[in-house]
Amino acid sequence: MLAASREEAVLAVKLYNDPTGDRTLEGFVVHMHLAWLYLLQTEWTKAKKDYRIPDKARKGWFKKIEGEYQTPSLEWFVQQTWVDSNPVRANIEFFIRLRNKIEHRHSGSDESLAAVIAGECHALLVNYEESLTTVGGPAQSLATVLKFPVFVGGFTDKGKDSLLKLTKKLPADLRKFLVEYNRTIDDEVTADPRYALRLKVFLESGNRSGDLSLKFYKADDLTEEQRKALDAVGSQGVVITKHKQIPVANLGNMKAKEVVDLVQSEIPFVFNMNHFTQAYKVGEFRPPTNSSSPADTRSDFVVYDSAHKDYTYTPAYVRHLVHKCKTSDGFREATGRPPRAKPTPKASAPVSTP
């Protein structure tokens, strides 16, 4: 069972990395789905846990289909294995929902969609590798058979422009699905590399040993100076970035005052427009007023409305502010200002009875 799971994962990667193949993304999603299903079945079998579906009509019996015991879906195994807020679960459930959309419905959209969800695809494989070696031991690692692929992707300016154009070619329902799915989960989950793997990769010149030298940096571990240094590398280095899908409409988004009122109602501290302004400056979620690049925002939190030349803010941003600002330390971290408790409402004077 474990061998079958591993073979499915290897086939999935083979299809994904084939530049001449048809429906390569669909093949990757389908075979990784099977790889995960067989792996979780292996884990339950190893733990001597019965996952056959009981026959409710006959006590002590189990359902069968054409002589084979009926077993639960991958979604059921995922729900039994990880809690709601786990990034690994969110990543697998993303592909479970996506599979039905791309299978037989969006033939020809593989190339565009693969460019947009490359981070999610890599995370799906890395998460599988970690679970595979946990269940089967280090000897089962895919590292012995998989090689780092040779590709162009975002290595050239023209390549990066092409990737951005591909995003716009996605069918409208797929674009809507990508945006709405991300809105259903916490921003802490979407930022986790186990949900979508985002790497900054630098190719070192002057290597004559025959090996490809790569340096991997986790964005959360970088200081402000290191971030600026990476941004200034330009043509001297190579950066692979994950472009998050930008909502095409402001449905459900809010103006600044609405955000202030919602956050104020949910936290024990005073939160006003000044705190709101400080929060997006501290977090660098949007550029300052009169910026030459007004659309350079963190798109899951802030959306620039070019028609009205102003900004709207997403429900995810409200959740972020409430989560941060409900504690003293979080409030100070989010706004750069010390929190101030809300004033206690004055008790009304008693009405005397004549």
Side-chain angles (χ1 to χ4, degrees), residues 106 168-178 248:
H106 291 296
K168 298 177 182 179
K169 291 182 180 180
L170 287 178
D173 62 325
L174 276 182
R175 294 200 305 269
K176 181 179 178 182
F177 165 73
L178 294 175
V248 295

Side-chain angles (χ1 to χ4, degrees), residues 38 77 83 127 161 335:
Y38 296 162
F77 278 104
V83 297
N127 295 338
D161 290 341
T335 67

Side-chain angles (χ1 to χ4, degrees), residues 6-25:
R6 194 170 181 268
E7 289 168 3
E8 290 290 342
V10 172
L11 177 57
V13 176
K14 180 180 179 180
L15 293 172
Y16 185 87
N17 289 334
D18 182 1
T20 62
D22 295 326
R23 304 171 77 101
T24 55
L25 178 63

